Coordinates of all heavy atoms in Angstrom, one line a residue:
M1 N 0.8 -1.2 0.0 CA 0.0 0.0 0.0 C 0.9 1.3 0.0 O 0.6 2.2 -0.8 CB -0.9 0.0 1.2 CG -1.8 1.1 1.3 SD -3.1 0.9 2.5 CE -2.7 2.2 3.6
F2 N 1.9 1.3 0.8 CA 2.7 2.5 0.9 C 3.7 2.6 -0.3 O 4.2 3.7 -0.6 CB 3.5 2.5 2.2 CG 2.7 3.0 3.4 CD1 2.2 2.1 4.3 CD2 2.3 4.4 3.5 CE1 1.4 2.6 5.3 CE2 1.5 4.8 4.5 CZ 1.1 3.9 5.4
R3 N 3.9 1.5 -0.9 CA 4.8 1.5 -2.1 C 4.1 2.4 -3.2 O 4.8 3.2 -3.8 CB 5.1 0.1 -2.6 CG 6.1 0.1 -3.6 CD 6.5 -1.4 -3.9 NE 6.6 -1.5 -5.4 CZ 6.7 -2.6 -6.0 NH1 6.6 -3.7 -5.4 NH2 6.8 -2.6 -7.3
L4 N 2.9 2.2 -3.4 CA 2.1 2.9 -4.4 C 2.0 4.4 -3.9 O 2.2 5.3 -4.7 CB 0.7 2.4 -4.6 CG -0.2 3.1 -5.6 CD1 0.5 3.1 -7.0 CD2 -1.5 2.4 -5.7
A5 N 1.8 4.6 -2.7 CA 1.7 5.9 -2.1 C 3.0 6.7 -2.3 O 3.0 7.9 -2.6 CB 1.3 5.9 -0.6
Q6 N 4.1 6.0 -2.1 CA 5.4 6.6 -2.3 C 5.7 7.0 -3.8 O 6.2 8.0 -4.0 CB 6.5 5.7 -1.8 CG 7.9 6.3 -1.7 CD 8.9 5.5 -1.0 OE1 8.8 4.3 -1.0 NE2 9.9 6.1 -0.4
M7 N 5.2 6.1 -4.7 CA 5.4 6.4 -6.1 C 4.6 7.7 -6.5 O 5.1 8.5 -7.2 CB 4.9 5.3 -7.0 CG 5.8 4.1 -6.9 SD 5.2 2.6 -7.7 CE 4.3 3.1 -9.1
C8 N 3.4 7.9 -5.9 CA 2.6 9.1 -6.1 C 3.2 10.3 -5.3 O 3.3 11.4 -5.9 CB 1.2 8.9 -5.7 SG 0.4 7.6 -6.7
G9 N 3.7 10.0 -4.1 CA 4.1 11.1 -3.3 C 5.3 11.8 -3.8 O 5.5 13.0 -3.6
V10 N 6.2 11.1 -4.5 CA 7.4 11.8 -5.0 C 7.1 12.9 -6.0 O 7.8 13.8 -6.3 CB 8.5 10.8 -5.6 CG1 9.1 10.0 -4.5 CG2 7.9 10.0 -6.7
N11 N 5.9 12.7 -6.7 CA 5.4 13.7 -7.6 C 4.7 14.9 -6.9 O 4.5 15.9 -7.5 CB 4.5 13.1 -8.7 CG 5.2 12.1 -9.5 OD1 6.2 12.5 -10.2 ND2 4.8 10.9 -9.6
I12 N 4.3 14.7 -5.7 CA 3.6 15.7 -4.9 C 4.6 16.6 -4.1 O 4.4 17.8 -4.0 CB 2.6 15.0 -4.0 CG1 1.5 14.4 -4.8 CG2 2.0 16.1 -3.0 CD1 0.5 13.5 -4.0
I13 N 5.6 16.0 -3.5 CA 6.5 16.7 -2.6 C 7.3 17.8 -3.3 O 7.9 18.6 -2.6 CB 7.4 15.7 -1.8 CG1 8.3 14.9 -2.7 CG2 6.5 14.8 -0.9 CD1 9.3 14.1 -1.9
V14 N 7.4 17.8 -4.6 CA 8.2 18.8 -5.3 C 7.5 20.2 -5.2 O 8.0 21.2 -5.6 CB 8.5 18.4 -6.7 CG1 9.4 17.2 -6.7 CG2 7.3 18.2 -7.5
F15 N 6.2 20.2 -4.8 CA 5.4 21.4 -4.7 C 5.3 21.7 -3.2 O 4.7 21.0 -2.4 CB 4.0 21.3 -5.3 CG 4.1 20.9 -6.7 CD1 3.8 19.6 -7.2 CD2 4.4 21.9 -7.7 CE1 3.9 19.3 -8.5 CE2 4.5 21.6 -9.0 CZ 4.2 20.3 -9.4
M16 N 5.9 22.9 -2.8 CA 6.0 23.2 -1.4 C 4.6 23.2 -0.7 O 4.5 22.7 0.5 CB 6.7 24.6 -1.2 CG 7.0 24.9 0.2 SD 8.2 23.7 0.8 CE 8.6 24.4 2.4
D17 N 3.6 23.8 -1.3 CA 2.3 23.8 -0.7 C 1.7 22.4 -0.4 O 1.1 22.2 0.6 CB 1.3 24.6 -1.6 CG 1.7 26.1 -1.7 OD1 2.4 26.6 -0.8 OD2 1.2 26.7 -2.7
H18 N 1.9 21.5 -1.3 CA 1.4 20.2 -1.2 C 2.3 19.4 -0.2 O 1.7 18.5 0.5 CB 1.4 19.5 -2.5 CG 0.5 20.1 -3.5 ND1 -0.8 20.4 -3.3 CD2 0.7 20.6 -4.8 CE1 -1.4 21.0 -4.3 NE2 -0.4 21.1 -5.3
L19 N 3.5 19.7 -0.1 CA 4.4 19.0 0.9 C 3.9 19.2 2.3 O 3.8 18.2 3.0 CB 5.8 19.6 0.8 CG 6.8 19.0 1.8 CD1 7.0 17.5 1.6 CD2 8.2 19.8 1.6
H20 N 3.5 20.4 2.7 CA 2.9 20.6 4.0 C 1.7 19.8 4.3 O 1.5 19.2 5.4 CB 2.7 22.1 4.3 CG 3.9 22.9 4.4 ND1 4.9 22.7 5.4 CD2 4.4 23.8 3.6 CE1 5.9 23.5 5.2 NE2 5.6 24.2 4.1
D21 N 0.8 19.7 3.3 CA -0.4 18.9 3.4 C -0.1 17.5 3.5 O -0.8 16.7 4.3 CB -1.4 19.2 2.2 CG -1.9 20.6 2.2 OD1 -2.0 21.3 3.3 OD2 -2.3 21.1 1.1
L22 N 0.8 17.0 2.7 CA 1.1 15.6 2.8 C 1.8 15.2 4.1 O 1.4 14.1 4.7 CB 2.1 15.3 1.6 CG 2.5 13.8 1.5 CD1 1.8 13.2 0.2 CD2 3.9 13.6 1.4
I23 N 2.6 16.0 4.6 CA 3.2 15.8 5.9 C 2.2 15.7 7.0 O 2.2 14.8 7.9 CB 4.3 16.8 6.3 CG1 5.5 16.7 5.4 CG2 4.7 16.8 7.7 CD1 6.5 17.8 5.4
R24 N 1.3 16.6 7.0 CA 0.2 16.7 8.0 C -0.7 15.4 7.9 O -1.0 14.8 8.9 CB -0.7 17.9 7.8 CG -1.7 18.1 8.9 CD -2.4 19.4 8.8 NE -1.6 20.5 8.2 CZ -2.0 21.2 7.1 NH1 -3.1 20.9 6.5 NH2 -1.2 22.1 6.7
Y25 N -0.9 14.9 6.7 CA -1.7 13.7 6.5 C -1.0 12.5 7.0 O -1.6 11.7 7.7 CB -2.0 13.5 5.0 CG -2.9 12.4 4.6 CD1 -4.3 12.4 4.8 CD2 -2.3 11.2 4.2 CE1 -5.1 11.3 4.6 CE2 -3.2 10.1 3.9 CZ -4.5 10.2 4.1 OH -5.3 9.1 3.8
Y26 N 0.2 12.3 6.7 CA 1.0 11.2 7.2 C 1.1 11.2 8.7 O 1.0 10.2 9.4 CB 2.4 11.1 6.6 CG 2.5 10.4 5.3 CD1 1.9 10.9 4.1 CD2 3.2 9.2 5.2 CE1 2.0 10.2 2.9 CE2 3.3 8.5 4.0 CZ 2.7 9.0 2.9 OH 2.8 8.3 1.7
E27 N 1.4 12.4 9.3 CA 1.5 12.5 10.7 C 0.2 12.2 11.5 O 0.2 11.6 12.5 CB 2.0 13.9 11.1 CG 3.5 14.1 10.9 CD 4.0 15.5 11.3 OE1 3.3 16.5 11.1 OE2 5.1 15.5 11.9
T28 N -0.9 12.7 10.9 CA -2.2 12.4 11.5 C -2.4 10.9 11.5 O -3.0 10.4 12.5 CB -3.3 13.1 10.7 OG1 -3.1 14.5 10.7 CG2 -4.7 12.8 11.3
G29 N -2.0 10.2 10.5 CA -2.2 8.7 10.5 C -1.1 7.9 11.2 O -1.2 6.7 11.4
G30 N -0.1 8.6 11.7 CA 0.9 8.0 12.5 C 1.9 7.2 11.7 O 2.6 6.3 12.2
H31 N 2.1 7.6 10.4 CA 3.0 6.9 9.5 C 4.3 7.7 9.4 O 4.7 8.1 8.3 CB 2.3 6.8 8.1 CG 0.9 6.1 8.2 ND1 0.8 4.8 8.5 CD2 -0.3 6.6 8.0 CE1 -0.5 4.5 8.5 NE2 -1.2 5.6 8.2
F32 N 5.0 7.8 10.5 CA 6.2 8.6 10.5 C 7.3 8.0 9.7 O 8.0 8.7 9.0 CB 6.6 8.8 12.0 CG 5.5 9.2 12.9 CD1 5.1 8.4 13.9 CD2 4.8 10.4 12.6 CE1 4.0 8.8 14.7 CE2 3.8 10.8 13.4 CZ 3.4 10.0 14.5
A33 N 7.5 6.7 9.8 CA 8.6 6.0 9.1 C 8.4 6.1 7.6 O 9.4 6.3 6.8 CB 8.8 4.6 9.5
E34 N 7.2 5.9 7.2 CA 6.9 6.0 5.7 C 7.1 7.4 5.2 O 7.6 7.6 4.1 CB 5.4 5.5 5.5 CG 5.2 4.1 5.7 CD 5.0 3.7 7.2 OE1 4.9 4.6 8.0 OE2 4.8 2.5 7.4
L35 N 6.7 8.4 6.0 CA 6.9 9.8 5.6 C 8.4 10.1 5.5 O 8.8 10.7 4.5 CB 6.3 10.7 6.6 CG 6.5 12.2 6.4 CD1 5.9 12.7 5.1 CD2 5.8 13.0 7.6
I36 N 9.2 9.7 6.4 CA 10.6 9.9 6.4 C 11.2 9.2 5.1 O 12.0 9.8 4.4 CB 11.3 9.5 7.7 CG1 10.9 10.5 8.8 CG2 12.8 9.4 7.5 CD1 11.3 10.0 10.2
A37 N 10.8 8.0 4.9 CA 11.3 7.3 3.7 C 10.9 8.0 2.4 O 11.7 8.1 1.5 CB 10.7 5.9 3.7
L38 N 9.7 8.6 2.3 CA 9.3 9.3 1.2 C 10.2 10.6 0.9 O 10.6 10.8 -0.2 CB 7.8 9.7 1.3 CG 7.3 10.7 0.2 CD1 7.4 10.0 -1.1 CD2 5.8 11.0 0.6
L39 N 10.4 11.3 2.0 CA 11.3 12.5 1.9 C 12.7 12.2 1.6 O 13.4 12.9 0.8 CB 11.1 13.4 3.1 CG 9.8 14.0 3.3 CD1 9.8 14.9 4.5 CD2 9.3 14.7 2.1
E40 N 13.2 11.0 2.1 CA 14.6 10.6 1.8 C 14.7 10.3 0.3 O 15.7 10.6 -0.3 CB 14.9 9.4 2.7 CG 15.2 9.8 4.1 CD 15.5 8.6 5.0 OE1 15.1 7.4 4.6 OE2 16.1 8.8 6.1
Q41 N 13.6 9.7 -0.2 CA 13.7 9.4 -1.6 C 13.5 10.7 -2.4 O 14.2 10.8 -3.5 CB 12.5 8.5 -2.0 CG 12.5 8.1 -3.5 CD 11.4 7.1 -3.8 OE1 10.6 6.7 -3.0 NE2 11.3 6.8 -5.1
G42 N 12.8 11.6 -1.9 CA 12.6 12.9 -2.6 C 13.8 13.8 -2.7 O 13.9 14.6 -3.7
I43 N 14.7 13.7 -1.8 CA 15.9 14.5 -1.9 C 16.8 14.1 -3.0 O 17.7 14.9 -3.4 CB 16.7 14.6 -0.5 CG1 17.2 13.2 -0.2 CG2 15.9 15.2 0.6 CD1 18.1 13.2 1.1
N44 N 16.6 13.0 -3.6 CA 17.4 12.5 -4.8 C 16.8 13.0 -6.1 O 17.4 12.7 -7.1 CB 17.5 11.0 -4.8 CG 18.3 10.5 -3.6 OD1 19.3 11.1 -3.2 ND2 17.8 9.4 -3.0
L45 N 15.7 13.6 -6.0 CA 15.0 14.1 -7.3 C 15.7 15.3 -7.8 O 16.2 16.1 -7.1 CB 13.5 14.5 -7.0 CG 12.6 13.3 -6.5 CD1 11.3 13.9 -6.2 CD2 12.5 12.3 -7.7
D46 N 15.7 15.5 -9.1 CA 16.2 16.7 -9.8 C 15.4 17.9 -9.4 O 15.9 19.0 -9.3 CB 16.2 16.6 -11.3 CG 17.1 15.5 -11.8 OD1 18.1 15.3 -11.1 OD2 16.9 15.0 -12.9
R47 N 14.1 17.7 -9.1 CA 13.2 18.8 -8.8 C 13.1 19.1 -7.3 O 12.3 19.8 -6.8 CB 11.8 18.6 -9.3 CG 11.8 18.3 -10.8 CD 10.4 18.0 -11.3 NE 9.9 16.7 -10.7 CZ 8.7 16.3 -10.7 NH1 7.8 17.1 -11.3 NH2 8.3 15.2 -10.2
A48 N 14.0 18.5 -6.5 CA 14.0 18.7 -5.0 C 14.2 20.1 -4.7 O 15.1 20.8 -5.3 CB 15.0 17.8 -4.4
H49 N 13.5 20.6 -3.7 CA 13.7 22.0 -3.3 C 14.2 22.0 -1.8 O 14.1 21.0 -1.1 CB 12.4 22.8 -3.5 CG 11.2 22.2 -2.8 ND1 10.9 22.4 -1.5 CD2 10.2 21.5 -3.3 CE1 9.8 21.7 -1.2 NE2 9.4 21.2 -2.3
Q50 N 14.6 23.1 -1.3 CA 15.1 23.3 0.0 C 14.2 22.9 1.1 O 14.6 22.3 2.1 CB 15.6 24.7 0.2 CG 16.4 24.9 1.5 CD 17.8 24.1 1.4 OE1 18.4 24.0 0.3 NE2 18.2 23.6 2.5
G51 N 12.9 23.0 0.8 CA 11.9 22.7 1.8 C 11.9 21.2 2.2 O 11.5 20.8 3.3
I52 N 12.2 20.3 1.2 CA 12.3 18.9 1.5 C 13.3 18.6 2.5 O 13.1 17.9 3.4 CB 12.5 18.1 0.2 CG1 11.3 18.3 -0.8 CG2 12.7 16.6 0.5 CD1 11.5 17.7 -2.1
Y53 N 14.5 19.2 2.3 CA 15.6 19.0 3.3 C 15.2 19.5 4.7 O 15.5 18.9 5.7 CB 16.9 19.8 2.8 CG 17.4 19.2 1.5 CD1 17.1 19.7 0.3 CD2 18.3 18.1 1.5 CE1 17.6 19.2 -0.9 CE2 18.8 17.6 0.4 CZ 18.5 18.1 -0.8 OH 19.0 17.6 -2.0
T54 N 14.6 20.7 4.7 CA 14.2 21.3 6.0 C 13.2 20.4 6.7 O 13.3 20.1 7.9 CB 13.6 22.7 5.7 OG1 14.5 23.5 5.1 CG2 13.2 23.3 7.0
Q55 N 12.2 20.0 6.0 CA 11.1 19.1 6.6 C 11.7 17.8 7.0 O 11.3 17.3 8.0 CB 10.0 18.9 5.6 CG 9.2 20.2 5.4 CD 8.6 20.8 6.6 OE1 8.1 20.1 7.5 NE2 8.5 22.1 6.7
L56 N 12.6 17.3 6.2 CA 13.2 16.0 6.6 C 14.0 16.2 7.9 O 14.0 15.3 8.8 CB 14.1 15.5 5.5 CG 14.8 14.1 5.7 CD1 13.7 13.0 6.0 CD2 15.6 13.7 4.5
G57 N 14.7 17.3 8.1 CA 15.5 17.5 9.3 C 14.5 17.7 10.5 O 14.8 17.2 11.6
I58 N 13.4 18.3 10.3 CA 12.4 18.5 11.4 C 11.9 17.1 11.8 O 11.7 16.8 12.9 CB 11.3 19.4 10.9 CG1 11.8 20.8 10.8 CG2 10.1 19.3 11.9 CD1 10.9 21.8 10.1
L59 N 11.6 16.3 10.8 CA 11.0 14.9 11.1 C 12.1 14.1 11.8 O 11.7 13.3 12.7 CB 10.6 14.3 9.8 CG 9.4 14.9 9.1 CD1 9.1 14.3 7.7 CD2 8.1 14.7 10.0
Y60 N 13.3 14.2 11.4 CA 14.4 13.5 12.1 C 14.4 13.9 13.6 O 14.5 13.0 14.5 CB 15.8 13.7 11.5 CG 16.1 12.9 10.3 CD1 17.0 13.4 9.4 CD2 15.6 11.7 10.0 CE1 17.3 12.7 8.2 CE2 15.9 11.0 8.9 CZ 16.8 11.5 8.0 OH 17.2 10.8 6.9
C61 N 14.3 15.2 13.8 CA 14.3 15.7 15.2 C 13.1 15.2 16.0 O 13.2 14.9 17.2 CB 14.4 17.2 15.2 SG 15.9 17.8 14.7
K62 N 11.9 15.1 15.3 CA 10.7 14.7 16.0 C 10.6 13.2 16.3 O 10.2 12.8 17.3 CB 9.5 15.1 15.2 CG 9.2 16.6 15.3 CD 8.2 17.0 14.3 CE 6.8 17.0 14.8 NZ 5.8 17.6 13.8
Y63 N 11.0 12.4 15.3 CA 10.7 11.0 15.3 C 11.9 10.1 15.3 O 11.8 8.9 15.5 CB 9.8 10.6 14.1 CG 8.5 11.5 14.1 CD1 8.3 12.4 13.1 CD2 7.6 11.4 15.2 CE1 7.2 13.1 13.1 CE2 6.5 12.1 15.2 CZ 6.2 13.0 14.1 OH 5.1 13.8 14.1
K64 N 13.1 10.6 14.9 CA 14.3 9.8 14.9 C 15.4 10.5 15.5 O 16.4 11.0 14.8 CB 14.7 9.4 13.5 CG 13.8 8.3 12.8 CD 14.4 7.8 11.6 CE 13.7 6.6 11.1 NZ 14.4 5.9 10.0
E65 N 15.4 10.7 16.8 CA 16.4 11.5 17.5 C 17.8 11.0 17.3 O 18.7 11.8 17.2 CB 16.0 11.6 19.0 CG 14.8 12.4 19.2 CD 14.4 12.5 20.7 OE1 15.4 12.3 21.5 OE2 13.3 12.8 21.0
Q66 N 18.0 9.7 17.2 CA 19.3 9.2 17.0 C 19.9 9.7 15.7 O 21.1 10.0 15.6 CB 19.4 7.7 17.1 CG 18.7 6.9 15.9 CD 17.2 6.8 16.1 OE1 16.6 7.4 17.0 NE2 16.6 6.0 15.2
N67 N 19.1 9.8 14.6 CA 19.6 10.4 13.3 C 19.9 11.9 13.5 O 20.8 12.4 12.9 CB 18.6 10.2 12.2 CG 18.5 8.7 11.7 OD1 19.1 7.8 12.4 ND2 17.9 8.5 10.6
C68 N 19.0 12.5 14.2 CA 19.1 14.0 14.4 C 20.4 14.3 15.1 O 21.2 15.2 14.7 CB 17.9 14.5 15.2 SG 18.0 16.2 15.5
L69 N 20.7 13.6 16.1 CA 21.9 13.9 16.9 C 23.2 13.5 16.2 O 24.2 14.2 16.3 CB 21.8 13.2 18.3 CG 20.7 13.8 19.2 CD1 20.6 13.0 20.5 CD2 20.8 15.2 19.5
S70 N 23.1 12.4 15.5 CA 24.3 11.9 14.8 C 24.7 12.9 13.6 O 25.9 12.9 13.3 CB 24.2 10.5 14.3 OG 23.2 10.5 13.3
T71 N 23.7 13.6 13.1 CA 24.0 14.5 12.0 C 24.1 15.9 12.5 O 24.3 16.8 11.7 CB 23.0 14.4 10.9 OG1 21.7 14.6 11.4 CG2 23.0 13.0 10.2
S72 N 23.9 16.2 13.7 CA 24.0 17.5 14.4 C 22.9 18.4 13.8 O 23.2 19.6 13.7 CB 25.4 18.1 14.2 OG 26.3 17.3 14.8
I73 N 21.8 17.9 13.3 CA 20.8 18.8 12.8 C 20.1 19.6 13.9 O 19.9 20.8 13.8 CB 19.7 18.0 12.1 CG1 20.3 17.3 10.8 CG2 18.5 18.8 11.7 CD1 19.4 16.3 10.2
C74 N 19.8 19.0 15.0 CA 19.1 19.7 16.1 C 20.0 19.9 17.3 O 19.5 20.5 18.3 CB 17.9 18.9 16.5 SG 16.7 18.7 15.2
S75 N 21.2 19.5 17.3 CA 22.0 19.6 18.6 C 22.6 20.9 18.8 O 23.2 21.2 19.8 CB 23.1 18.5 18.5 OG 24.0 18.8 17.5
G76 N 22.5 21.8 17.7 CA 23.1 23.1 17.9 C 24.6 23.2 17.6 O 25.2 24.2 17.7
A77 N 25.2 22.1 17.2 CA 26.6 22.1 16.9 C 26.8 22.7 15.5 O 26.1 22.5 14.6 CB 27.1 20.6 16.9
D78 N 27.9 23.5 15.4 CA 28.2 24.1 14.2 C 29.3 23.4 13.5 O 30.2 22.8 14.0 CB 28.6 25.6 14.4 CG 27.4 26.4 14.8 OD1 26.3 26.1 14.4 OD2 27.6 27.4 15.6

């Protein structure tokens, strides 16, 4: 089910307005791992925008603290 959603989602996340709606939808359903996987796939797209990177960092901080701290996204380290 999520495989098909991911195939469709990569075409949606390239639009910033739709990215926020998609994130809200996945979070409401509790599908955090699937959302992170979708955005990780999206950063490899030619049409990827800065918002995808930003939202992925936020999701790492919220739901995968070990990734967040290991990459110093949220730890405040420069």
Side-chain angles (χ1 to χ4, degrees):
M1 182 167 115
F2 281 104
R3 191 171 135 193
L4 180 59
Q6 190 171 28
M7 289 172 34
C8 297
V10 293
N11 293 306
I12 295 172
I13 61 173
V14 295
F15 301 103
M16 190 63 175
D17 294 339
H18 299 305
L19 176 61
H20 292 294
D21 293 335
L22 186 108
I23 289 172
R24 192 173 325 122
Y25 183 79
Y26 271 71
E27 285 184 319
T28 300
H31 306 293
F32 313 117
E34 292 83 1
L35 176 58
I36 290 171
L38 173 60
L39 294 185
E40 287 174 340
Q41 183 179 0
I43 61 174
N44 296 319
L45 297 173
D46 292 334
R47 302 178 298 167
H49 54 81
Q50 191 65 34
I52 295 173
Y53 294 95
T54 303
Q55 292 300 323
L56 185 56
I58 292 169
L59 292 170
Y60 280 152
C61 290
K62 287 169 92 174
Y63 305 114
K64 286 193 167 187
E65 292 181 20
Q66 68 278 8
N67 285 15
C68 179
L69 295 176
S70 67
T71 58
S72 300
I73 294 172
C74 297
S75 65
D78 292 328

